[in-house]
Amino acid sequence: MSPNFNNSGDKYSVLLPTYNERENLPLIVWLLVKYFGESGYNYEIIVIDDGSPDGTLEVGEQLQKIYGKDKILLRPREKKLGLGTAYIHGMKHATGNFIIIMDADLSHHPKFIPEFIEKQKEGNYDLVSGTRYSGNGGVYGWDLRRKLISRGANFLTQVLLRPGASDLTGSFRLYKKKVLESLVERCVSKGYVFQMEMIVRARQLKYTVGEVPISFVDRVYGESKLGGNEIVSFVKGLLTLFATT
């Protein structure tokens, strides 16, 4: 496929919320540039750094020099303010009509993005979600406890909310920009439940959801963000969501 192949007028804004991702950021950006370049889609990468003390932002500035300010937009915030608000912040600066959200820690591989885009076009879906739980999707590098928690969380949600999607806690997704805006306006959750609430609200609003099987790789550097307190807040958030939907 030649790089000029996909001049459909669509533009994809990748939102990358970061906190202490100094080692990962150059690699994830390089991979994004590579896969967007090869598939020929128009894109921009918006890095939303929440005041990382490890110099993530400085790395972002170097990447801007390499790839250009039109491709790498730095939209930092003073301190850690959470995922939901990071997306709201990023969306304000996005010029694409599609938004891709993903983690900057290399657990989400950019090679799946062209598949997300093709899937979206195929059914004109309002959102496309990467799923670890259907087709040939999978999780690598997780111990049994993490797998059980993740599967358990998904199962609990399926039973309580019947959302019609197989992977709810994943955060690798492609949205039509206006759909994401309307969902974020309605979302009340923070942290991990936020991703799940987005899918549940999408269902309520009759948005269409496509799925692409992905392999998910646990963090290459740094600590996993899913601690015991996150699990407690996840279950609490899930029950609140169940009570209010």
Side-chain angles (χ1 to χ4, degrees):
M1 206 181 279
S2 76
N4 305 321
F5 185 78
N6 296 302
N7 47 7
S8 58
D10 289 325
K11 184 175 184 183
Y12 298 86
S13 300
V14 181
L15 302 189
L16 278 187
T18 57
Y19 186 75
N20 287 353
E21 299 290 1
R22 202 177 97 97
E23 290 106 334
N24 294 324
L25 193 59
L27 199 44
I28 193 84
V29 166
W30 181 78
L31 287 166
L32 282 165
V33 170
K34 171 179 157 60
Y35 285 100
F36 271 113
E38 285 174 5
S39 58
Y41 293 110
N42 189 13
Y43 71 98
E44 63 185 359
I45 301 163
I46 301 173
V47 179
I48 304 134
D49 187 61
D50 274 5
S52 297
D54 74 339
T56 300
L57 191 59
E58 287 70 23
V59 168
E61 286 163 358
Q62 295 298 316
L63 292 168
Q64 262 190 338
K65 286 178 187 150
I66 297 168
Y67 299 109
K69 287 188 175 175
D70 58 325
K71 289 296 178 210
I72 314 288
L73 285 71
L74 303 179
R75 296 295 179 263
R77 306 189 295 174
E78 291 300 301
K79 58 181 192 294
K80 212 167 179 189
L81 296 166
L83 205 55
T85 57
Y87 294 140
I88 293 168
H89 182 73
M91 267 193 304
K92 284 183 191 148
H93 301 282
T95 58
N97 55 329
F98 286 95
I99 305 259
I100 292 164
I101 62 169
M102 64 189 300
D103 293 344
D105 62 13
L106 298 173
S107 53
H108 297 146
H109 201 301
K111 69 181 178 188
F112 295 111
I113 288 176
E115 288 180 42
F116 278 42
I117 293 172
E118 280 157 34
K119 183 75 176 178
Q120 191 282 323
K121 288 183 182 306
E122 195 181 288
N124 192 24
Y125 291 108
D126 293 312
L127 73 109
V128 173
S129 185
T131 176
R132 298 160 287 183
Y133 304 125
S134 82
N136 53 2
V139 176
Y140 302 92
W142 274 17
D143 58 18
L144 189 61
R145 177 179 156 271
R146 291 277 307 275
K147 282 185 180 170
L148 286 174
I149 289 165
S150 178
R151 290 235 174 216
N154 257 290
F155 178 68
L156 243 176
T157 315
Q158 297 290 355
V159 170
L160 289 177
L161 302 169
R162 297 183 295 283
S166 65
D167 192 349
L168 302 151
T169 48
S171 50
F172 193 3
R173 294 187 186 148
L174 164 67
Y175 291 88
K176 288 180 179 172
K177 187 182 183 184
K178 57 182 189 299
V179 167
L180 183 58
E181 283 169 342
S182 77
L183 288 173
V184 167
E185 272 169 26
R186 290 173 171 82
C187 279
V188 293
S189 314
K190 299 278 179 284
Y192 286 88
V193 187
F194 173 78
Q195 301 297 1
M196 188 175 62
E197 185 180 352
M198 297 285 275
I199 291 272
V200 173
R201 300 265 177 231
R203 274 284 168 238
Q204 286 178 327
L205 296 165
K206 305 283 189 283
Y207 288 133
T208 53
V209 182
E211 291 194 318
V212 169
I214 59 164
S215 48
F216 174 93
V217 182
D218 202 15
R219 291 177 68 84
V220 179
Y221 298 105
E223 285 302 303
S224 162
K225 296 187 281 269
L226 195 59
N229 56 340
E230 284 287 354
I231 294 155
V232 174
S233 71
F234 174 83
V235 174
K236 274 189 192 155
L238 176 57
L239 293 171
T240 312
L241 200 53
F242 179 57
T244 57
T245 55

